[in-house]
């Protein structure tokens, strides 16, 4: 029998009204939203369900909102008796995975990602950083091109190694623009500018990473119920100190998503369940390996369909 991995989405998957159906149906899901409001000291629940979208899109709001919605949707999966062998998450989603595995308490996780979002927003003034999705590039050639442009004084670095043919770059606005003009040199078709508030997963985020390290210093990391694959190494991480270091590095290092999925498949995972709003990860995993089964649980209805499919 193949193994199951639960995977959790990152920033960009959010939408107003996400997880409202599980909030209405499951006391456990409602309890998570109430705990988030209490922990953060403001009405996150109201922002998630009523918007406005512009406010929900702000990094410091998006991160706790997505984490809470994803873990609320996880309650619908747990209610069906479905358990995973591994967990992983894309960027912010790694915190959802750590909470799902019991490594972080929900209250700690939601508090950390709120602060993480604030630190990331503060690290680079608006308009000075940028990100772009590069389609069809050769990974090594794109890395070389990034290094060449960065050496000339404008930072641009690979940020998300998502799947074959899709790599997101991040850095200064000038660096990303320079790279976007030259992507064909790396065999790429084109670069698409992303609507983001900062140069995430680039060295420009080191200040945010340092501040996050301070926040994580007092956090208790528990023994997890299942291995969580880390973005920075594409392998599970053990022990509080190693986890702390991995999460600090994650802020300014590339998300090795394709490598993480390949590692999980190598460990015998043949079923991926994306838990959270949207279905971005399902699309990426399909491009990494068409042979695995992929389900997206972004509603109560999807959780029912998943239970039937796995029965």
């Amino acid at each position: 029998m193949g193994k199951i991995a639960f995977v959790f989405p990152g920033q960009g998957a959010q939408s107003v009204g996400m997880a409202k159906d599980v909030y209405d149906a499951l006391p456990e899901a409602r309890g998570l939203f109430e705990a988030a409001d209490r922990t953060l000291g403001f009405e996150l629940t109201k922002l998630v369900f009523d918007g406005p979208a512009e406010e929900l899109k702000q990094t410091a709001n998006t991160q706790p909102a997505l984490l809470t919605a994803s873990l609320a949707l996880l309650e619908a999966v747990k209610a069906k008796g479905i358990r995973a062998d591994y967990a992983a998450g894309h960027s912010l989603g790694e915190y959802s995975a750590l909470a799902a595995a019991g490594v972080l308490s929900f209250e700690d996780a939601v508090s950390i990602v709120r602060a993480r979002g604030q630190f990331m927003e503060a690290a680079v003034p608006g308009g000075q950083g940028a990100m772009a999705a590069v389609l069809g590039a050769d990974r090594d050639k794109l890395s070389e091109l990034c290094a060449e442009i960065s050496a000339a004084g404008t930072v641009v670095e690979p940020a998300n190694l998502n799947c074959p043919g899709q790599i997101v770059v991040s850095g200064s606005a000038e660096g990303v623009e320079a790279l976007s003009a030259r992507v064909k040199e790396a065999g790429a078709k084109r670069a698409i500018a992303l609507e983001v508030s900062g140069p995430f997963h680039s060295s420009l985020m080191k200040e945010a990473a340092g501040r996050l390290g301070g926040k994580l210093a007092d956090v208790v990391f528990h023994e997890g119920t299942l291995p969580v694959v880390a973005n920075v190494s594409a392998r599970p991480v053990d022990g509080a100190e190693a986890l702390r270091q991995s999460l600090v590095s994650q802020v300014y290092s590339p998300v090795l998503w394709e490598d993480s999925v390949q590692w999980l498949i190598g460990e015998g995972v043949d079923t991926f369940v994306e838990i959270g709003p949207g279905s971005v990860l399902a699309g990426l995993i399909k491009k990494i390996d068409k042979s695995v089964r992929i389900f997206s649980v972004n509603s109560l209805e999807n959780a029912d369909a998943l239970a039937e499919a796995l029965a």
Side-chain angles (χ1 to χ4, degrees):
M1 184 66 190
K3 294 175 183 171
I4 295 176
F6 288 168
V7 295
F8 298 89
Q11 217 163 312
Q14 72 278 359
S15 59
V16 173
M18 57 185 176
K20 179 76 164 74
D21 56 350
V22 286
Y23 172 91
D24 290 338
L26 299 174
E28 297 83 357
R30 192 173 313 122
L32 288 173
F33 276 96
E34 287 165 357
D37 290 352
R38 275 195 313 275
T39 304
L40 300 177
F42 75 97
E43 288 188 5
L44 181 75
T45 303
K46 189 170 171 15
L47 178 60
V48 171
F49 296 151
D50 302 335
E54 276 308 307
E55 207 175 311
L56 183 62
K57 216 168 78 174
Q58 290 166 12
T59 298
N61 294 330
T62 307
Q63 297 203 12
L66 259 178
L67 176 113
T68 305
S70 297
L71 292 170
L73 286 157
L74 174 63
E75 291 298 334
V77 175
K78 280 160 56 174
K80 300 289 176 192
I82 299 161
R83 297 287 178 266
D85 300 285
Y86 294 94
H90 192 287
S91 188
L92 161 79
E94 189 170 331
Y95 289 85
S96 304
L98 289 167
V103 176
L104 291 171
S105 72
F106 173 74
E107 287 79 3
D108 278 345
V110 83
S111 166
I112 293 163
V113 300
R114 168 72 171 170
R116 179 179 182 267
Q118 289 168 330
F119 300 154
M120 288 165 86
E121 276 183 351
V124 178
Q128 289 189 15
M131 296 179 79
V134 179
L135 305 181
D138 175 85
R139 187 164 161 169
D140 294 336
K141 283 184 185 156
L142 187 67
S143 292
E144 284 168 24
L145 188 57
C146 282
E148 189 187 314
I149 292 167
S150 296
T154 53
V155 175
V156 61
E157 296 159 359
N160 301 337
L161 303 168
N162 283 334
C163 66
Q166 196 205 98
I167 297 170
V168 173
V169 295
S170 178
S172 66
E174 300 79 12
V176 171
E177 203 177 306
L179 181 100
S180 299
R182 295 177 58 186
V183 287
K184 289 201 163 60
E185 294 173 37
K189 295 185 189 78
R190 63 183 190 278
I192 300 163
L194 300 183
E195 262 194 68
V196 290
S197 58
F200 304 140
H201 300 290
S202 79
S203 56
L204 298 179
M205 283 285 140
K206 284 205 167 162
E207 183 199 315
R211 293 177 71 189
L212 180 67
K215 172 84 178 167
L216 290 172
D218 307 323
V219 171
V220 177
F221 289 88
H222 305 274
E223 190 67 41
T225 54
L226 70 166
V228 176
V229 178
N231 287 176
V232 296
S233 59
R235 298 286 185 278
V237 175
D238 275 330
E241 204 34 61
L243 273 162
R244 265 189 207 100
Q245 193 42 60
S246 175
L247 292 172
V248 169
S249 301
Q250 191 230 47
V251 176
Y252 60 83
S253 303
V255 173
L256 303 180
W257 186 250
E258 183 185 337
D259 307 55
S260 298
V261 171
Q262 292 285 19
W263 184 84
L264 285 163
I265 292 167
E267 292 298 301
V269 171
D270 65 0
T271 303
F272 288 83
V273 182
E274 179 177 8
I275 301 171
S279 56
V280 170
L281 298 183
L284 297 180
I285 293 165
K286 268 196 192 91
K287 289 186 177 127
I288 294 166
D289 191 329
K290 286 185 177 63
S291 71
V292 296
R293 292 198 297 175
I294 307 159
F295 301 91
S296 284
V297 177
N298 49 33
S299 68
L300 205 52
E301 204 180 310
N302 292 156
D304 294 339
L306 174 69
E308 276 177 37
L310 296 182

